[in-house]
Amino acid sequence: MNGIQLMVDALSLGSQYALVALGIGLVFGIMRMINFAHGDLMMLGAYALVVPTTADVAPPLIGKWPAVAMIVAITALVACAGILTERFAFRPLRHRQADGATLLISSFAVSYLLQSVVLLVHTGRPKSVSIFAELTRQMEIGGVRVALVDVVTIAVTALLLLAMVVFLRRVRWGVEIRAASEDFTMARILGVRADAVIALAFAIAGGLAGILSLLYVAKTGVLDFRMGVPLAVAGFVGTVVGGMGSLIGAVLGGLFLGVASSLLQALLPEALRPGRDAFLYSLVIVVLLVRPQGLFAPRDTGERT
Amino acid sequence: MLLAVENLEVRYGTVPAVRDVSFHVETGEIVCFLGANGAGKSTTMLAVAGVLRPARGDIQFDSRSIVGLTPEQVAALGIGLVPEGRRIFGRLTVRENLVVASGLRGGMAAQKQTLDVIFNLFPILRERYDGRAGNLSGGEQQQLAIARALLTKPRLLIMDEPSLGLAPKFVDLVYETFAALRDSGVTLLLVEQSMRRALSLADRIYFLQSGQVVLHGRAAELAGRSDLEHLYLGGAAAR
């Protein structure tokens, strides 16, 4: 594989992981809870593209809508799903001052619940769906052919990250999310409504998962009720590697994981490739041994006198 | 009566930090809490602000019980808290710290007047507007913490050890601010370490010891008492 191809490939996977890590990091920042159901929200978005059926072949539903309508619908749908999981699985626990472990278990429960519902409706057999067929083309960069869908994935991710930066810095709701991530109680003392800011974080995380589901399906064309799990794990590891509590860290951590994974896949000797993840996660362990606070942990804000 | 606290008990787990505290604050007053570390002053303030839930007792603001309200609901009613340690958002800029606090009363645009007052009181905040709040000095952070609280338009402003760890010039500035705030109609509830400052500034003073009020009275009357130092220091020695 050529260098440019390899780079596009690596950045494309890294982009997917970065989007997952950002969604997980947004919620974690405020609630100090890893939402393992985040990957399953993405899975829900993907399945919403087709008609619910136990048949092996599912005709497209939202998947046959015009591009803009499809993007808006899936994003909104998954954002709503995110808000609903918060409203019914996490908020009641928060209001009873449940500890972090309880919330974590609840997120596992939501994850399995969503998977089981899809399993019931669609059966466990993977299904195929084709969206944005024009993205399956190859394009040329510097005389090298690369998959258009990968380039689009990278570009869309870059745009989303840029939009997030603007939102988190220039819009009051975004600034409130960052303040709540740094000191939740203090933000509330200043009048920031806990339920609203958390619902907003879930909505944005859900929206990101929705867009990711489109990018993912455009590339693979496959639906599987467990498709969100590896992404959630990658996103989670990405946030840890990047430094928990830092959104930039989460994004860079996710990117790092995806790039490292692709590079290992391409550069490992043929015989070792099936063990790629063993190498990848050994690398993760080494990173965490050297920098337990993560690669890009926030600088100390230390109280100064 | 603006704030009335009756038989307040607050526990950390099973350990009571505040056993039986009753006090009140009238509109327009400056009331000071004095006491050694661990006497329960900060715990009392956090309970009033809705951060800690009382195990027993009642807290009335404007003749309405606020026990069980969330911190944001308490803030919306008009109680501002500058907590111990200031707790500014160090990773946010000065501007962003103020933006967060402005949200309760309509955002920065609606708060133009309050902002002018703040910049007038604390010009450094205008100078460091787009700088990281974590890079401010302790005194500057305290100014930011007070500015933030002012943006929530409190009728009662609670400040927990506002002079702790500050250079003397900042302490003077902060105390001048209190006088100005009182004149502008804000009622103040202060936790203070320095008895001298408390006596000179406050209308009334409560002494806390081991989670209970052991003495209270008008500052003017307490100022003449010779056992005051002993009481205060005795409390400090007993911890």
Side-chain angles (χ1 to χ4, degrees):
Chain A
M1 199 188 265
N2 168 289
I4 292 178
Q5 281 173 325
L6 180 58
M7 208 172 70
V8 170
D9 212 48
L11 284 177
S12 171
L13 188 65
S15 296
Q16 290 186 9
Y17 288 178
L19 285 180
V20 181
L22 178 60
I24 289 177
L26 268 172
V27 169
F28 177 85
I30 304 178
M31 289 176 68
R32 297 291 181 265
M33 175 199 82
I34 296 290
N35 183 14
F36 271 98
H38 185 79
D40 304 295
L41 290 178
M42 173 270 189
M43 179 270 295
L44 278 189
Y47 269 96
L49 291 167
V50 299
V51 174
T53 168
T54 52
D56 282 353
V57 177
L61 182 68
I62 296 179
K64 68 177 176 207
W65 293 7
V68 174
M70 191 196 320
I71 294 167
V72 170
I74 295 293
T75 307
L77 210 72
V78 183
C80 288
I83 293 174
L84 286 177
T85 58
E86 198 287 312
R87 180 67 189 79
F88 292 107
F90 303 122
R91 185 178 296 187
L93 295 174
R94 280 195 295 112
H95 284 191
R96 273 169 227 158
Q97 266 90 46
D99 58 15
T102 311
L103 287 168
L104 184 68
I105 298 296
S106 185
S107 91
F108 275 116
V110 172
S111 170
Y112 284 115
L113 174 72
L114 295 179
Q115 288 178 37
S116 302
V117 168
V118 170
L119 183 66
L120 265 178
V121 174
H122 287 276
T123 77
R125 281 184 298 276
K127 297 178 179 182
S128 69
V129 57
S130 165
I131 56 167
F132 304 128
E134 59 275 24
L135 290 187
T136 51
R137 282 192 296 118
Q138 303 271 305
M139 68 177 281
E140 238 175 65
I141 297 179
V144 185
R145 299 183 76 77
V146 295
L148 183 59
V149 67
D150 286 329
V151 176
V152 169
T153 299
I154 297 166
V156 167
T157 303
L159 276 177
L160 286 175
L161 293 180
L162 193 68
M164 279 304 294
V165 168
V166 172
F167 172 73
L168 289 170
R169 294 199 173 275
R170 305 311 305 187
V171 180
R172 196 209 315 148
W173 287 356
V175 178
E176 285 179 0
I177 286 182
R178 282 166 56 223
S181 302
E182 191 170 330
D183 187 338
F184 189 48
T185 302
M186 190 61 228
R188 299 182 72 182
I189 289 172
L190 292 173
V192 172
R193 284 178 300 141
D195 288 342
V197 77
I198 287 176
L200 178 63
F202 268 89
I204 296 172
L208 291 172
I211 293 173
L212 176 63
S213 72
L214 293 172
L215 294 170
Y216 187 93
V217 171
K219 184 173 164 80
T220 64
V222 177
L223 304 176
D224 183 292
F225 74 101
R226 280 171 302 217
M227 65 199 279
V229 177
L231 278 171
V233 171
F236 168 52
V237 173
T239 51
V240 174
V241 167
M244 303 213 87
S246 154
L247 287 179
I248 296 172
V251 167
L252 293 178
L255 193 64
F256 166 82
L257 200 69
V259 169
S261 175
S262 296
L263 291 183
L264 283 172
Q265 176 73 28
L267 302 176
L268 279 177
E270 194 82 48
L272 290 178
R273 276 183 203 170
R276 180 198 62 187
D277 284 356
F279 288 94
L280 180 63
Y281 287 98
S282 302
L283 183 63
V284 166
I285 291 172
V286 171
V287 165
L288 291 180
L289 283 175
V290 179
R291 279 185 71 88
Q293 73 278 34
L295 286 175
F296 316 99
R299 280 174 290 171
D300 257 348
T301 56
E303 311 272 293
R304 297 174 42 160
T305 49
Chain B
M1 208 179 298
L2 188 61
L3 180 75
V5 174
E6 296 285 336
N7 308 111
L8 182 72
E9 179 177 323
V10 188
R11 295 179 193 160
Y12 291 109
T14 56
V15 186
V18 169
R19 294 164 196 279
D20 182 16
V21 166
S22 299
F23 68 97
H24 69 274
V25 181
E26 305 280 353
T27 303
E29 271 191 317
I30 296 185
V31 171
C32 247
F33 267 58
L34 282 168
N37 281 337
K41 306 181 303 279
S42 297
T43 304
T44 303
M45 300 311 149
L46 289 173
V48 172
V51 176
L52 296 174
R53 201 153 283 202
R56 229 176 332 167
D58 194 19
I59 304 169
Q60 298 225 341
F61 184 66
D62 242 358
S63 310
R64 173 194 161 180
S65 178
I66 58 169
V67 171
L69 296 189
T70 64
E72 56 266 40
Q73 287 169 330
V74 172
L77 287 177
I79 297 182
L81 169 67
V82 177
E84 200 179 6
R86 306 185 273 271
R87 291 171 74 167
I88 54 132
F89 306 114
R91 277 183 256 154
L92 273 54
T93 64
V94 170
R95 181 187 68 83
E96 289 168 339
N97 269 271
L98 298 175
V99 164
V100 171
S102 75
L104 188 61
R105 312 282 181 220
M108 293 289 261
Q111 298 257 54
K112 183 92 185 47
Q113 264 187 323
T114 314
L115 278 172
D116 286 342
V117 171
I118 286 169
F119 289 143
N120 206 15
L121 282 171
F122 309 124
I124 187 75
L125 296 183
R126 197 204 298 266
E127 277 170 46
R128 310 289 295 271
Y129 201 48
D130 287 312
R132 213 165 151 274
N135 293 339
L136 298 177
S137 74
E140 291 161 357
Q141 290 190 2
Q142 184 65 273
Q143 296 173 36
L144 176 58
I146 296 171
R148 267 189 337 190
L150 291 179
L151 277 174
T152 68
K153 294 262 171 80
R155 284 188 289 152
L156 172 67
L157 179 56
I158 305 174
M159 287 196 256
D160 197 344
E161 305 215 9
S163 56
L164 189 69
L166 293 192
K169 63 166 179 168
F170 282 125
V171 178
D172 291 340
L173 175 65
V174 165
Y175 273 83
E176 281 165 27
T177 312
F178 295 161
L181 283 178
R182 176 185 28 201
D183 295 343
S184 70
V186 179
T187 305
L188 289 170
L189 177 55
L190 302 180
V191 172
E192 196 32 84
Q193 285 277 0
S194 156
M195 190 161 58
R196 188 180 54 80
R197 288 207 178 267
L199 285 171
S200 67
L201 181 76
D203 297 304
R204 287 185 305 112
I205 292 178
Y206 288 85
F207 275 86
L208 243 66
Q209 215 175 71
S210 310
Q212 299 181 68
V213 175
V214 290
L215 178 71
H216 66 98
R218 306 204 67 79
E221 293 156 15
L222 291 174
R225 280 177 64 156
S226 54
D227 60 336
L228 220 52
E229 198 81 26
H230 173 75
L231 185 81
Y232 184 44
L233 294 176
R239 77 180 137 114

